[in-house]
């Protein structure tokens, strides 16, 4: 390989730590005159926006971070729920060393940056073009790789034949000369593909980068940063106004004005500077910049949020006036948006749920549970596993969490209604149904965690068998005569 100026051409990725006078890649690309409304970002520009632009990371990650801010509520009704849930949660956090949540986050982030992203699972020593067996998923040395469009270029272009079975559907994923079976991979697109609509950042007829519609306002935002810097530099400048000495200024007069300007520049708190009656010292008047510049910056941020189909408050870093618990309109809008993001994440969760269940609910765990529970011991491992798997449910909690004060009011109303119902129906019921109704009321009370700190435990059978004592007649007292 030829070398030029003593530097090998294969070392273009070297970075100088001493700095350079050349513009940054972000400035070179975003400030190009060729970027106009409707321009698409290519692969390299999408990467630079994510890594260098102040809003790049937020646009790609903020919705995912908010969606993952709560854990799913997991229930396994047909089995020892607590032990199964604990085993599942521990294994979930061990996936790929960093945990399944991080892997899902990074896959979704990649798809938002470029328009498409993929994750594959493999087992060391096993072929990648065939589905992994149950034994491999349960005991194999698994690894996960997240692929961006440059890694998978050529394999995810998508078929544009309307009569083909795989029309605009991802098929087998290939990275270099390695093929991954569809059962071992999940391909996520940001938005759905449009017929014969090429996405430059993803090298295919696939989804679109979150930066695609927002490229021009992202460029405008960089201009506001430059303006901010200019204002910060100019805000500290002082203007020394003095009467002109005339058209002919000798060296002595020039030296005098330079000396006075130097004194003003060096003046500090506690110093005294003398100036003439017709002289003055002022700062640059920038007050007229505030309103138009502030309006332009706000509009640019709103344009970016609109182009990215995101609530503006997520881009602007605005603090909700009433918070999520108060159910304000802004909070409801964000909650609806995050619910949609969670729906888009569902295929990744289905993918990881299947793997984690097999690795968590092993024959060894079955043997341990069979010793504790007769119901588990009454069936074999395969039957127990699929029964647990079929009853597995994972639901997202509501993002609009009510404050404790409001939840306490609801609990109080439920308890009052329960007591009122008992007062009406108990007098007309037989002992067995009375016991059932009282036990039901105790369960309702115990469910009100904010008001009932200690559970009320009653013996339903003893209540049904209990006979209250009958009142004994009181002996008549003799009337005392005087």
């Amino acid at each position: 390989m030829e070398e030029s100026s003593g530097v090998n051409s294969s070392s273009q990725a070297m970075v100088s730590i001493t700095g350079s006078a050349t513009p940054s890649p972000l400035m070179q690309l975003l400030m190009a005159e060729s970027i106009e409304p409707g321009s698409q970002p290519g692969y390299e520009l999408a990467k630079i926006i994510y890594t260098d632009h102040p809003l790049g990371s937020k646009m790609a990650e903020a919705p995912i971070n908010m969606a993952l801010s709560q854990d799913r509520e997991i229930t396994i009704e047909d089995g020892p729920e607590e032990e199964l849930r604990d085993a599942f949660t521990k294994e979930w956090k061990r996936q790929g060393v960093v945990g399944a949540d991080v892997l899902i986050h990074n896959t979704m982030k990649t798809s938002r940056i470029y328009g498409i992203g993929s994750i594959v699972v493999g087992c060391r020593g096993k072929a990648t073009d065939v589905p992994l067996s149950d034994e491999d998923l349960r005991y194999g040395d698994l690894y996960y790789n997240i692929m961006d469009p440059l890694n998978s270029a050529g394999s995810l272009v998508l078929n544009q034949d309307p009569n083909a079975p795989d029309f605009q559907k991802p098929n087998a994923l290939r990275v270099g000369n390695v093929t991954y079976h569809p059962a071992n991979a999940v391909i996520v697109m940001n938005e759905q593909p449009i017929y014969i609509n090429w996405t430059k950042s993803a090298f295919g007829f696939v989804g679109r980068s979150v930066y695609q519609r927002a490229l021009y306002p992202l460029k405008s935002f960089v201009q506001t940063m430059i303006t901010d810097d200019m204002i910060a530099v100019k805000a500290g400048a002082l203007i020394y106004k003095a009467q002109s000495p005339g058209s002919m200024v000798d060296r002595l007069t020039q030296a005098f004005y330079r000396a006075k300007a130097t004194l003003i520049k060096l003046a500090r708190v506690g110093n005294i500077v003398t100036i003439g009656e017709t002289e003055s010292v002022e700062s640059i008047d920038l007050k007229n910049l505030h309103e138009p510049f502030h309006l332009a910056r706000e509009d640019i941020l709103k344009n970016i949020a609109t182009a990215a189909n995101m609530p503006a408050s997520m881009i602007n870093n605005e603090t909700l006036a009433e918070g999520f618990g108060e159910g304000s309109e802004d909070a409801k809008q964000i909650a609806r948006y995050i619910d949609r993001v969670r729906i888009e994440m569902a295929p990744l969760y289905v993918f990881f749920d299947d793997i984690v269940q097999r690795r968590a609910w092993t024959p060894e765990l079955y043997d341990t549970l069979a010793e504790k529970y007769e119901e588990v011991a009454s069936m074999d491992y395969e039957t127990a596993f699929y029964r647990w798997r079929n009853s597995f449910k994972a639901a997202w909690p509501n993002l609009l969490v009510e404050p404790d004060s409001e939840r306490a009011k609801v609990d109080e109303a439920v308890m009052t209604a329960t007591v009122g119902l008992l007062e009406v129906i108990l007098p007309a019921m037989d002992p067995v149904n009375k016991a059932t109704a009282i036990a039901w009321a105790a369960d309702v009370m115990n469910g009100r965690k904010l008001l009932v700190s200690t559970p009320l435990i009653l013996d339903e059978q003893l209540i049904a068998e209990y006979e209250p004592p009958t009142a004994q007649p009181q002996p008549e007292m003799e009337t005392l005569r005087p």
Side-chain angles (χ1 to χ4, degrees):
M1 182 178 294
E2 296 182 0
E3 296 185 2
S4 176
S5 301
V7 180
N8 192 298
S9 60
S10 64
S11 60
Q12 297 178 358
M14 293 181 62
V15 178
S16 172
I17 62 173
T18 59
S20 173
T22 59
S24 67
L26 180 67
M27 287 290 293
Q28 287 180 318
L29 293 174
L30 275 189
M31 301 311 295
E33 295 182 0
S34 59
I35 295 181
E36 300 174 349
S39 298
Q40 282 196 39
Y43 173 86
E44 184 65 21
L45 180 54
K47 179 183 290 186
I48 289 174
I49 291 176
Y50 171 72
T51 57
D52 297 346
H53 197 286
L55 299 179
S57 176
K58 178 178 293 186
M59 293 175 66
E61 297 184 0
I64 308 170
N65 292 338
M66 191 169 292
L68 294 174
S69 63
Q70 297 171 303
D71 293 329
R72 296 182 300 168
E73 297 174 350
I74 296 174
T75 57
I76 305 111
E77 296 179 355
D78 201 358
E81 185 173 61
E82 185 175 354
E83 290 92 338
L84 294 175
R85 183 172 56 241
D86 289 345
F88 179 90
T89 302
K90 291 178 182 178
E91 187 62 35
W92 181 272
K93 295 179 179 179
R94 284 197 291 260
Q95 294 305 295
V97 180
V98 295
D101 283 334
V102 175
L103 296 172
I104 291 174
H105 177 281
N106 291 341
T107 306
M108 289 294 299
K109 176 188 68 177
T110 302
S111 72
R112 288 178 63 84
I113 294 173
Y114 303 106
I116 193 168
S118 313
I119 184 170
V120 298
V121 59
C123 181
R124 298 185 189 275
K126 301 292 181 179
T128 60
D129 56 351
V130 295
L132 296 177
S133 65
D134 292 349
E135 194 71 11
D136 294 334
L137 292 175
R138 185 170 290 120
Y139 296 112
D141 185 8
L142 301 183
Y143 62 90
Y144 299 92
N145 292 336
I146 297 172
M147 311 295 185
D148 73 7
L150 189 59
N151 304 137
S152 58
S155 66
L156 296 178
V157 176
L158 300 196
N159 192 346
Q160 295 301 295
D161 181 3
N163 297 314
D166 60 346
F167 172 56
Q168 291 191 339
K169 300 180 183 70
N171 209 330
L173 175 65
R174 293 188 302 276
V175 180
N177 295 324
V178 179
T179 300
Y180 292 89
H181 193 275
N184 302 336
V186 178
I187 300 168
V188 182
M189 289 186 287
N190 184 55
E191 303 181 13
Q192 294 303 305
I194 302 297
Y195 182 55
I196 314 183
N197 186 72
W198 180 264
T199 302
K200 293 171 59 178
S201 60
F203 307 115
F205 299 98
V206 293
R208 282 154 295 287
S209 168
V210 72
Y211 309 132
Q212 178 162 320
R213 301 185 188 95
L215 182 58
Y216 191 75
L218 284 170
K219 172 183 176 179
S220 301
F221 186 84
V222 175
Q223 292 281 14
T224 67
M225 296 168 55
I226 298 173
T227 305
D228 277 339
D229 180 69
M230 293 174 61
I231 293 174
V233 172
K234 297 297 183 182
L238 295 178
I239 300 175
Y240 169 53
K241 294 182 179 180
Q243 186 176 3
S244 176
S247 59
M248 300 297 294
V249 180
D250 57 18
R251 292 183 179 179
L252 184 60
T253 305
Q254 289 180 350
F256 171 77
Y257 281 114
R258 283 199 299 268
K260 180 165 284 193
T262 302
L263 289 175
I264 294 173
K265 180 180 179 180
L266 298 176
R268 298 290 187 272
V269 176
N271 292 359
I272 298 175
V273 178
T274 303
I275 59 176
E277 294 182 358
T278 60
E279 299 172 335
S280 65
V281 179
E282 300 176 2
S283 61
I284 298 178
D285 187 2
L286 300 175
K287 62 183 179 181
N288 292 330
L289 289 176
H290 178 268
E291 185 173 347
F293 177 69
H294 184 70
L295 178 62
R297 188 183 183 93
E298 280 192 345
D299 286 345
I300 289 171
L301 290 172
K302 289 178 181 178
N303 290 339
I304 293 174
T306 302
N309 196 24
M310 296 173 60
S313 57
M314 295 184 66
I315 293 291
N316 296 347
N317 265 344
E318 293 177 355
T319 302
L320 297 179
E322 297 178 348
F324 276 101
E326 304 299 332
S328 65
E329 289 304 316
D330 285 345
K332 292 178 182 178
Q333 182 183 12
I334 293 177
R336 288 191 293 266
Y337 175 72
I338 297 304
D339 286 342
R340 183 63 197 172
V341 174
R342 288 172 171 175
I343 292 174
E344 295 171 357
M345 296 164 62
L348 289 168
Y349 276 94
V350 173
F351 176 73
F352 276 101
D353 285 345
D354 179 63
I355 296 174
V356 173
Q357 287 168 2
R358 295 183 184 281
R359 296 183 71 84
W361 302 338
T362 59
E364 292 77 12
L365 178 66
Y366 164 81
D367 293 337
T368 302
L369 296 178
E371 295 177 358
K372 296 176 60 178
Y373 302 100
E374 295 182 0
E375 180 183 357
V376 176
S378 64
M379 49 188 169
D380 58 23
Y381 167 71
E382 290 294 329
T383 303
F385 175 82
Y386 283 103
R387 179 173 294 184
W388 299 338
R389 183 177 178 181
N390 293 336
S391 65
F392 176 88
K393 295 180 181 178
W396 289 106
N398 193 341
L399 198 65
L400 298 174
V401 181
E402 293 183 342
D404 289 346
S405 58
E406 294 297 324
R407 294 167 57 193
K409 292 179 182 178
V410 174
D411 288 355
E412 185 178 357
V414 171
M415 295 178 68
T416 301
T418 302
V419 172
L421 179 63
L422 290 180
E423 291 177 347
V424 173
I425 65 175
L426 285 182
M429 300 178 73
D430 59 89
V432 175
N433 284 321
K434 280 185 179 180
T436 302
I438 293 173
W440 165 79
D443 291 339
V444 173
M445 299 292 185
N446 294 336
R448 310 298 104 185
K449 301 297 184 181
L450 291 176
L451 297 181
V452 181
S453 58
T454 304
L456 176 62
I457 302 176
L458 301 175
D459 191 321
E460 187 175 341
Q461 183 177 356
L462 292 178
I463 296 175
E465 296 173 354
Y466 174 72
E467 295 182 3
T470 57
Q472 299 294 330
Q474 297 292 333
E476 297 182 0
M477 299 182 63
E478 297 183 357
T479 302
L480 297 178
R481 296 181 180 178

